[in-house]
Amino acid sequence: MEGQKQRAWIVTFLSTLLILAMFAISALVLINVGMQVYKNIVLANHDNFKLRTSLAYIATKVRQNDVEGMVSVQEANGVRMLVLSEDIGGEKYNTCIYYYDGYLCELIQKEGFEINFDFGFQTVEVNDFQVEELTDGGIRLIVQNNAGVQEELLLYPRARR
Amino acid sequence: MEKHGRTRALRMSLMELSIMISIFAVVSVLLTRMYVEADRLQGNATQISKSIVLCETVAEAIKGSEALEPTMSNLGFQMTEDKAAYQIQYDKEWNVSLESNAFQLRVNPVLEERGSGKMLTAVISATTKAGEELCTLTVKRFYPETGKE
């Protein structure tokens, strides 16, 4: 009788422990799933933001400088860049947009000076940025974020039509 | 006597734990549903973002075009059977695909006579296979009768 009671007590105790362990494991799993979902959302948002922001930024810059002969694609020291020119006080200044050292950079400088890519202002962190001139007057912008996702935007500035 | 009391106390805590776990189970089901929904919304946001960039590209190409048809065919669009619109299909990764139509971009052009030329109004819309609309963009382009705009 005493032995039976003891066995019953052990079974109850073990059941309680088992349920407690199940509870702890389930709670941990749920927290982990929540963390993963949150992490995915934040990372995906961040990647989307980088792609959309970089393309929107360049498109806006091009539209702001949409004057004949002022939008061009040039290459310096093996770096291809979008060059937006403007006249300031009778002097020509170039805004160069290029990819350098993991960032989309912007550099404003007087025409004729040698470009020092280190001096550029880092705007958005991206994995790659390519700019191409199309035969029909368009400009193809290709941006890749750090997750390897690539986005492409075609621009047809009025000045180049 | 003391052992009997201890067993009763354990049974009570077993019941308390069972109730607690039932509540936890209900809450975790709700939370899991929320996580799934959040994940789905995030997926949608990515698709919408992608479709907006594509629609913008098509809109830019139309604005820079001298004629609609060659521009559409340059972009890989095909005319629909009823010849009323242009469309292009994409797979799940947004690669142009003839077999898969996970996503679809459609351009509905309307040409109107306007004085010295024609006004093109094109509605560009991106939809999923299920017909869910991701984004819509309307672009207008005036084609003068003679010469460039």
Side-chain angles (χ1 to χ4, degrees), chain A residues 34-87:
Chain A
M35 261 170 53
Q36 287 299 322
V37 170
Y38 181 71
K39 198 171 130 190
N40 284 348
I41 289 171
V42 171
L43 286 178
N45 258 342
H46 199 54
D47 290 340
N48 266 348
F49 168 81
K50 279 180 185 170
L51 282 179
R52 293 275 299 129
T53 310
S54 51
L55 286 175
Y57 152 74
I58 302 167
T60 308
K61 285 294 251 185
V62 170
R63 284 182 190 121
Q64 279 175 342
N65 288 270
D66 198 357
V67 182
E68 203 169 342
M70 298 299 195
V71 181
S72 61
V73 177
Q74 294 175 19
E75 198 172 320
N77 302 331
V79 178
R80 220 168 162 74
M81 55 194 182
L82 181 68
V83 180
L84 310 166
S85 311
E86 57 187 323
D87 273 315

Side-chain angles (χ1 to χ4, degrees), chain B residues 34-52:
Chain B
M34 230 170 71
Y35 293 154
V36 171
E37 183 64 12
D39 205 43
R40 195 187 64 80
L41 285 174
Q42 175 51 49
N44 272 5
T46 307
Q47 308 308 350
I48 288 170
S49 176
K50 183 81 190 172
S51 66
I52 289 172

Side-chain angles (χ1 to χ4, degrees), chain A residues 19, chain B residues 12-25:
Chain A
I19 290 174
Chain B
M12 276 301 287
S13 46
L14 194 64
M15 274 175 64
E16 282 167 9
L17 268 174
S18 304
I19 292 166
M20 195 171 78
I21 283 169
S22 313
I23 294 168
F24 174 77

Side-chain angles (χ1 to χ4, degrees), chain B residues 34-94:
Chain B
M34 230 170 71
Y35 293 154
V36 171
E37 183 64 12
D39 205 43
R40 195 187 64 80
L41 285 174
Q42 175 51 49
N44 272 5
T46 307
Q47 308 308 350
I48 288 170
S49 176
K50 183 81 190 172
S51 66
I52 289 172
V53 174
L54 279 171
C55 286
E56 273 177 6
T57 293
V58 176
E60 281 282 338
I62 291 173
K63 280 201 282 182
S65 70
E66 289 305 317
L68 185 66
E69 185 135 12
T71 306
M72 290 288 98
S73 90
N74 275 349
L75 290 171
F77 279 78
Q78 286 178 333
M79 199 168 247
T80 53
E81 280 177 18
D82 58 1
K83 298 199 183 299
Y86 296 91
Q87 70 171 38
I88 189 167
Q89 293 174 351
Y90 297 93
D91 63 12
K92 282 180 182 172
E93 302 298 317
W94 285 96

Side-chain angles (χ1 to χ4, degrees), chain A residues 92-96 107-116 119:
Chain A
K92 198 171 182 185
Y93 284 82
N94 290 335
T95 302
C96 307
L107 176 68
I108 303 169
Q109 69 169 31
K110 216 170 173 180
E111 196 174 63
F113 282 83
E114 200 187 327
I115 290 172
N116 190 335
F119 291 165

